[in-house]
Amino acid sequence: MSKVFEIIAKEEKRQRENIELIASENFCSENVQKAVGSCLTNKYSEGYPGKRYYGGCVHVDELEDYCKETWQKVFKTDYHVNVQPHSGSGANFGAYLAVLKPGDTVLSLELNNGGHLTHGSPVNLSGKIFNFVFYGVDEKGYIDYNDLREKALKYKPQLILAGASAYPRIIDFKKFREVADEVGAYFMVDMAHIAGLIAAGVHPSPFGLADLITTTTHKTLRGTRGGLIFCKQELAKKVDSAIFPGTQGGPLQHVIAGKAVTAEEALQPEYKTYIENVVKNCKAMCDEFIKMGYRVVTGGTDNHLFLLDLTDKGVSGKQVQEACDEVGITLNKNCVPNETRSPMQTSGVRIGTAAMTTKGFTAAQFIDTAHKIDEVIKKLQANL
Ligand code: DSN
């Protein structure tokens, strides 16, 4: 047997046995895995349905059209959708390229305050090509909408970006739209983390408000690893050419098949129940930490994640992440607002409930896990 399958078996065991609390991870279904592992990986299909650069595309054309229609149903939208981005980062670059020129100004949330690497970090291509400026969060950790407006008036960005990797509260897309209109900017939402909540109707939708919406399909959407871009119909051509030939070559039709199965699953009534449980479990676990005397950024959560602020505990996020790994609890270190430690150390950890809710964890089990993490932190403090 190939060594690869031995490694996969070990990873399969790790995923089965560990308590998985990384807020951006989930467990996709066997059907999604079957589609992604199918013969579609053999097929080249540069271009779009009906306009390919290769023969033999009749079935992948049908697949890609079906995938697009199914995602439009998930988000109850008539926006154009491009299902080819290989990842969330690729989707973001496609969206930027569709409406921006190098050097244009973009206003986004700072990475340290919950933003994402591709939202203009200086170490990422986004921050090298475009002139990113940032809005922040207030002293409690909520998006500072006054700061957003002030920065928009000051910098006159071509694009305003909403969306985050570590933000535990509802995002007010209407406020973003108003500010974008005031300064004549495009409005883009990266909904990767909360896409499942939007699909299930437990977070307000950006459809109808944003010009461009990007997402991954593997976080709360619980599907294959990949990206999508939605846009208003008038931007369809620009978005499509920004993905192919702008930033990608041949699409991954096996992944597009996985995305289509993901969309079918998100349309099932059980999916809405699943997402409601993700949010309920997240609040239960977060409240338990607060009862135990922990500081939580913004004092709580409205979605699938929360951020423990360990500043007053004398331990770093890295130490907690590593000590949790040793007891089979997987989470990640994360910066907190006004971070004083480096991103490799951090003063916080991010905790999410999407993956373990898929495994059937109840609120009581999440509360029990909060106590296990508390024990880990107390042991670290005892050894200081
Ligand atoms: N790196 C992902 C996360 O963990 O949130 C986002 O791309």
Side-chain angles (χ1 to χ4, degrees), residues 191-204:
M191 64 172 182
H193 264 268
I194 52 171
L197 281 65
I198 292 167
V202 307
H203 186 291

Side-chain angles (χ1 to χ4, degrees), residues 45-54 57 60-62 64-65 68 80-85 229 236-249 251 253 256:
S45 55
E46 280 177 21
Y48 288 100
K51 288 170 284 178
R52 305 282 190 187
Y53 289 81
Y54 293 84
C57 286
V60 294
D61 276 7
E62 183 184 359
E64 194 168 328
D65 280 333
K68 289 160 71 170
H80 172 71
V81 55
N82 186 307
V83 297
Q84 293 191 3
I229 306 177
K237 274 195 176 157
K238 286 185 173 170
V239 163
D240 284 353
S241 44
I243 289 297
F244 175 82
T247 49
Q248 291 187 178
Q253 290 296 345
I256 289 175

Side-chain angles (χ1 to χ4, degrees), residues 72-272:
Q72 285 170 323
K73 282 187 195 147
V74 169
F75 290 105
K76 300 179 186 63
T77 183
D78 57 2
Y79 274 36
H80 172 71
V81 55
N82 186 307
V83 297
Q84 293 191 3
H86 302 331
S87 64
S89 299
N92 284 347
F93 275 100
Y96 297 151
L97 197 66
V99 295
L100 300 174
K101 298 184 300 304
D104 277 355
T105 299
V106 185
L107 179 58
S108 73
L109 183 63
E110 272 169 349
L111 184 61
N112 274 6
N113 285 334
H116 188 251
L117 196 65
T118 59
H119 297 181
S121 163
V123 296
N124 182 262
L125 193 61
S126 56
K128 296 183 195 296
I129 297 184
F130 305 110
N131 172 38
F132 270 83
V133 289
F134 301 98
Y135 56 89
V137 293
D138 63 20
E139 66 284 355
K140 284 189 178 158
Y142 283 81
I143 289 173
D144 185 340
Y145 292 96
N146 292 328
D147 186 45
L148 169 76
R149 183 167 177 269
E150 279 165 24
K151 298 274 170 62
L153 292 171
K154 178 171 174 193
Y155 294 111
K156 304 253 179 306
Q158 278 71 42
L159 178 74
I160 295 180
L161 177 54
S165 281
Y167 187 68
R169 294 297 186 176
I170 299 276
I171 300 177
D172 189 340
F173 298 127
K174 277 194 188 138
K175 279 200 183 139
F176 275 91
R177 178 76 261 176
E178 282 164 20
V179 174
D181 284 343
E182 199 174 349
V183 296
Y186 283 108
F187 172 36
M188 168 174 160
V189 174
D190 176 347
M191 64 172 182
H193 264 268
I194 52 171
L197 281 65
I198 292 167
V202 307
H203 186 291
S205 174
F207 286 90
L209 293 168
D211 301 295
L212 297 143
I213 301 169
T214 57
T215 187
T216 51
T217 43
H218 51 269
K219 298 185 175 83
T220 48
L221 282 173
R222 200 166 57 173
T224 184
R225 192 161 289 277
L228 304 172
I229 306 177
F230 295 87
C231 64
K232 291 192 170 160
Q233 287 293 340
E234 59 266 29
L235 294 173
K237 274 195 176 157
K238 286 185 173 170
V239 163
D240 284 353
S241 44
I243 289 297
F244 175 82
T247 49
Q248 291 187 178
L252 310 177
Q253 290 296 345
H254 55 305
V255 178
I256 289 175
K259 288 173 188 171
V261 178
T262 305
E264 287 177 335
E265 291 177 358
L267 284 167
Q268 302 309 309
E270 304 85 83
Y271 181 75
K272 186 172 161 56

